[in-house]
Amino acid sequence: MDDARRELPVLHARGVGKELGQFVGEAMRHLIQKRVEQQAWLHEAMAKYESGALRSVVDSLASAGRAAYPQLFEEMEGMAHGSQVEYLYILLMNLQREIRYFIPGDSERAKYVQRMTSPDMNCTDVSYKGPEGWWLCHNEDGGDAADMHFLYMLQVKGDHGTFTGLTYAGELPSSAFGYNSSGLVFTMDGLSPLHLDLEGMPRNFVSRKLMEAKTIDEAIQIVTQARHSVGHNYNIASIAQQGTNPVSVETAPRGLFSVRTWEDGCSFHANRYLRIKTQQIPNPSSEHREKRVQQLLPVHGLDGLLSILSDREDKSWPIFDPHGSGSTYCTAVFDLMQRRVEVYVGNPLKRECCFSDNIVEVHQACCL
C-alpha cells in the first residue's frame, strides 16, 4: 500500500445471500469492474473456460461449493448483478487459488514452475502467548502490487451477529483475516500441495463460512470437515471462551488436517506444511523466511512479533517486502487481551494504522 493510500475503505453492510451480494456489488462496483479489467490471468481463465479447456475444472469446483454452501453462490450472483459484472468473472475470482494451478500454459513443466515460484504465496503469520499478552499477527502479501488498491474492510451485520474481514473487490470475505462479534478471530496463509482435489472445497468458500463461526470448536469443524481442494493454515482464537487455547490448523486435500494448540512463546507459519506429511510444491520464499525467523528468535511481546514481520535482512526473500514481486500490502495485529484489531500499512514497526476496531462490544468480558 503506497503513501497515497493510508486508509482502508470500510463498507458496512447487512443481510444474507443475494441481498448482501447485491449491496456489496453496488457499493464496490467501480473497484470490482476495475479489478476485472486489470487482471490478465482472469481474462486468460475466461478464454480457457469458454474454449472448454478449463470448463471441467471450474464446473467441478463450483459444484462442490454450491452443494455445501448454496447461500454463498446467491451472494456471488447478487454481487455480479450489483456490480454489473458477468457472473463467471466473479466465480473465477473466487476460485483463483485453485484454477491458477492451471495457468499459464498447457505444459506440465510450465505449470509446475509457475506454481513453484508463485510470488503471491508469501503471507506470514506469527503469534505470541506469554505474560506480556497474547497476539496474532498477519502480513498480507501478494504477487500483484495493483491488488493493494482493491482491498477494503467489509463489516456485515446479520441476524446472528456481525463479522468483519479484509476483502478483495469481487471476492467473498476473507482469504486473509477476519473476526466477528462472537469474539472469534482468524488469520490464514496459503499452502501448496503438489496435487489438487478437483472434487474438494475451494478456499474462499471455507473462509467465508469461517467468518460466521461462534466458537473455536465450530471453527475447527468448518475447516477440517471440508474436503479441501488445496490447502491452508488457519490460526484461530477466541476472546470469549475462557480457558480455550488458540489453535493452528493445517489442511490438505483428501481430508488431511493437523490441529496444534498454541504453546507459550512465539509461533510462525509461512506457506509451507510443517506437520502434515504430504507432497508440496517447493517454495524458496517459505524456506528463506523460516530460516530468518530462527535467527531472530527468541522474541517477546508485540514488539518482537513486529520485528519479525518488518524484517528485510534476506534481500532475495524478505519477510516484509514493500516493493518486490511478493509485495506486503498490510499487517493485521489482533491483541487478544485488549480485544482490539489494528491494521498497519508500510513497515509494521512504525505502526501506521489504517484501520482499527474493537473485536467485541465493551460489555462482553475478555476471558483470556
Side-chain angles (χ1 to χ4, degrees):
M1 198 168 291
D2 59 24
D3 291 335
R5 185 177 180 189
R6 291 325 227 181
E7 299 290 333
L8 268 177
V10 181
L11 176 62
H12 298 276
R14 63 184 307 138
V16 296
K18 187 166 290 187
E19 175 191 11
L20 172 59
Q22 174 89 19
F23 179 88
V24 172
E26 290 177 356
M28 292 292 159
R29 181 180 299 161
H30 173 70
L31 279 183
I32 294 172
Q33 290 181 353
K34 191 172 182 180
R35 190 175 182 218
V36 168
E37 178 185 337
Q38 293 185 4
Q39 298 284 304
W41 76 266
L42 182 60
H43 295 282
E44 183 176 355
M46 176 68 87
K48 287 196 168 191
Y49 182 87
E50 292 176 338
S51 72
L54 205 56
R55 188 176 298 269
S56 64
V57 172
V58 172
D59 290 352
S60 178
L61 292 167
S63 177
R66 188 182 290 275
Y69 307 127
Q71 195 172 73
L72 302 188
F73 280 73
E74 294 176 4
E75 194 172 318
M76 289 190 295
E77 289 163 2
M79 193 185 306
H81 187 266
S83 64
Q84 299 177 4
V85 166
E86 186 176 344
Y87 167 72
L88 186 55
Y89 280 123
I90 300 295
L91 177 61
L92 292 174
M93 282 195 287
N94 281 280
L95 296 177
Q96 65 169 300
R97 178 70 181 86
E98 293 76 24
I99 63 178
R100 278 192 165 186
Y101 267 66
F102 300 89
I103 300 172
D106 296 322
S107 160
E108 289 299 319
R109 175 64 180 169
K111 286 188 290 186
Y112 180 82
V113 171
Q114 187 268 341
R115 282 148 44 196
M116 179 177 65
T117 60
S118 175
D120 59 355
M121 285 297 298
N122 296 336
C123 295
T124 301
D125 287 315
V126 292
S127 60
Y128 183 83
K129 175 185 173 186
E132 303 92 337
W134 291 15
W135 290 273
L136 174 58
C137 304
H138 173 90
N139 268 5
E140 178 64 8
D141 299 334
D144 186 348
D147 258 354
M148 69 179 65
H149 300 288
F150 301 124
L151 289 171
Y152 66 99
M153 297 298 294
L154 176 61
Q155 190 164 85
V156 177
K157 186 174 183 178
D159 295 336
H160 304 290
T162 301
F163 65 78
T164 307
L166 185 71
T167 307
Y168 288 82
E171 295 186 39
L172 299 168
S174 167
S175 60
F177 56 83
Y179 59 99
N180 63 34
S181 56
S182 294
L184 193 87
V185 170
F186 75 89
T187 67
M188 52 193 287
D189 59 280
L191 302 172
S192 295
L194 187 60
H195 302 291
L196 214 67
D197 182 354
L198 291 179
E199 296 180 357
M201 189 64 60
R203 169 195 67 176
N204 279 24
F205 306 149
V206 177
S207 58
R208 170 62 180 83
K209 191 65 177 175
L210 187 58
M211 300 290 296
E212 302 173 8
K214 297 185 181 303
T215 66
I216 289 179
D217 284 345
E218 183 182 351
I220 292 173
Q221 186 176 38
I222 288 170
V223 302
T224 59
Q225 286 194 346
R227 177 180 167 182
H228 289 261
S229 52
V230 285
H232 264 73
N233 180 70
Y234 301 87
N235 303 284
I236 304 168
S238 172
I239 66 170
Q241 291 181 268
Q242 185 173 9
T244 303
N245 276 329
V247 296
S248 167
V249 186
E250 287 186 351
T251 63
R254 303 185 306 282
L256 299 176
F257 65 88
S258 170
V259 180
R260 183 185 65 81
T261 301
W262 280 18
E263 300 175 351
D264 289 345
C266 178
S267 297
F268 178 84
H269 210 284
N271 310 118
R272 197 160 74 115
Y273 285 106
L274 300 178
R275 302 185 300 276
I276 294 179
K277 303 302 182 183
T278 188
Q279 288 183 295
Q280 60 184 316
I281 297 165
N283 188 331
S285 173
S286 294
E287 295 168 8
H288 280 243
R289 283 179 287 155
E290 289 170 5
K291 181 178 179 180
R292 177 57 183 155
V293 168
Q294 291 304 315
Q295 294 170 349
L296 293 171
L297 293 178
V299 300
H300 300 279
L302 181 57
D303 286 342
L305 296 183
L306 295 181
S307 70
I308 291 174
L309 291 176
S310 63
D311 188 79
R312 301 186 64 191
E313 185 67 24
D314 188 321
K315 303 304 181 185
S316 299
W317 301 97
I319 296 173
F320 172 66
D321 187 4
H323 305 300
S325 60
S327 298
T328 302
Y329 299 161
C330 61
T331 300
V333 174
F334 291 95
D335 187 327
L336 303 179
M337 298 292 282
Q338 298 299 319
R339 305 168 303 178
R340 289 281 296 173
V341 56
E342 293 185 342
V343 181
Y344 304 144
V345 295
N347 188 318
L349 276 177
K350 296 181 179 180
R351 304 194 189 193
E352 297 181 50
C353 188
C354 64
F355 174 84
S356 63
D357 193 16
N358 293 315
I359 299 173
V360 293
E361 298 297 332
V362 173
H363 67 267
Q364 292 180 265
C366 177
C367 299
L368 288 180

